[in-house]
Amino acid sequence: IRDRNNINKGSLTLNNGASLANGSTTNLAGGTSMDVNSGSSIDGNVVMNAQSSININKDAASDVTISGNISSNTIANAADQQITISNGSLTISGDQSGYKGTFNQEDGTTVTVVDGGVFFGGDNFVKGGIFNFNQGAELSSDVTITNKNTQLNIFGSDKVLDGNKLVVNDGWGFVLKDALFSGSDALVKEGTFSDGHITFENQGGIAQDADITLGNGGTFTMSAGSVA
């Protein structure tokens, strides 16, 4: 789909590897939705207005990519706009900082933010599955991990643990609510961890001269290959 597209009623569905072309702009009006399925991609710009939504792999698993940008135009509350991945995987390489709605990652799915990718603004909830945050990726809002069985893989060094939030850039970070954080190649420098579980693997671990305080409910696990 190319150039400028206005979805004023109903829904737009991308199937079988379809894509919104690089350089195109798709406007979702209030009350409309877009379904992205079966290996399709968003390579252009999507502007969400009022109460609109995007559903990723709603009914079946596939690999969906977003190299373009999703942003919010008219929005009163974060809950008015919803982006949800229900199955399969999502890879983000574009800048999603202009989105101010709510993002939901359902259990059993995988989200990966690669080098140069910027994750969604607004309210972000990871309810299970795997979240990969590669070196060179950025957050534009906090991400709350709500399921203790979530595997959070963060690559890159020198992160700060501020309360139960693992800060990665510009004060934004992952809020760990009893999550399992896999510190792959990430080194935590300082902070207080009061609840939940952090497991360090590979080259991840506690940085040299780090100042870490564990509360009554917090646990660190050092697996083979981790450093302290």
Side-chain angles (χ1 to χ4, degrees):
I1 299 179
R2 298 183 178 275
D3 302 325
R4 192 170 188 87
N5 313 289
N6 295 315
I7 312 302
N8 295 316
K9 294 182 179 180
S11 63
L12 169 67
T13 300
L14 302 180
N15 280 330
N16 301 319
S19 67
L20 298 179
N22 185 19
S24 67
T25 298
T26 300
N27 286 287
L28 297 179
T32 65
S33 64
M34 180 166 68
D35 293 341
V36 187
N37 306 309
S38 55
S40 297
S41 63
I42 298 175
D43 302 320
N45 303 311
V46 176
V47 181
M48 301 178 67
N49 294 276
Q51 294 180 338
S52 53
S53 62
I54 296 177
N55 304 303
I56 299 172
N57 292 329
K58 185 176 181 179
D59 298 316
S62 75
D63 300 325
V64 169
T65 61
I66 303 177
S67 62
N69 314 108
I70 299 176
S71 62
S72 299
N73 185 18
T74 54
I75 181 170
N77 301 290
D80 288 347
Q81 295 175 3
Q82 300 281 330
I83 298 176
T84 301
I85 175 171
S86 303
N87 299 281
S89 68
L90 170 65
T91 300
I92 295 174
S93 59
D95 185 347
Q96 316 310 317
S97 61
Y99 177 69
K100 304 303 180 185
T102 299
F103 171 83
N104 298 289
Q105 178 181 349
E106 299 298 337
D107 196 10
T109 62
T110 299
V111 171
T112 301
V113 188
V114 301
D115 183 11
V118 182
F119 198 59
F120 299 105
D123 296 341
N124 300 299
F125 300 99
V126 177
K127 302 174 182 179
I130 300 171
F131 194 105
N132 298 312
F133 192 75
N134 290 2
Q135 188 164 4
E138 293 186 6
L139 297 180
S140 59
S141 186
D142 286 340
V143 177
T144 300
I145 312 294
T146 64
N147 185 335
K148 67 179 181 180
N149 295 316
T150 301
Q151 182 177 339
L152 173 61
N153 299 315
I154 299 181
F155 301 89
S157 61
D158 295 346
K159 312 303 181 190
V160 175
L161 191 61
D162 181 8
N164 278 17
K165 183 167 76 171
L166 188 68
V167 179
V168 295
N169 66 270
D170 303 324
W172 302 119
F174 294 91
V175 180
L176 306 175
K177 293 192 174 181
D178 202 28
L180 174 64
F181 160 57
S182 175
S184 301
D185 303 323
L187 298 177
V188 175
K189 295 174 63 177
E190 60 181 301
T192 300
F193 189 60
S194 59
D195 193 13
H197 311 281
I198 295 183
T199 299
F200 293 110
E201 300 174 343
N202 300 326
Q203 297 302 308
I206 300 174
Q208 186 177 5
D209 299 325
D211 183 8
I212 304 291
T213 301
L214 281 181
N216 291 333
T219 61
F220 280 1
T221 301
M222 308 296 290
S223 299
S226 59
V227 295

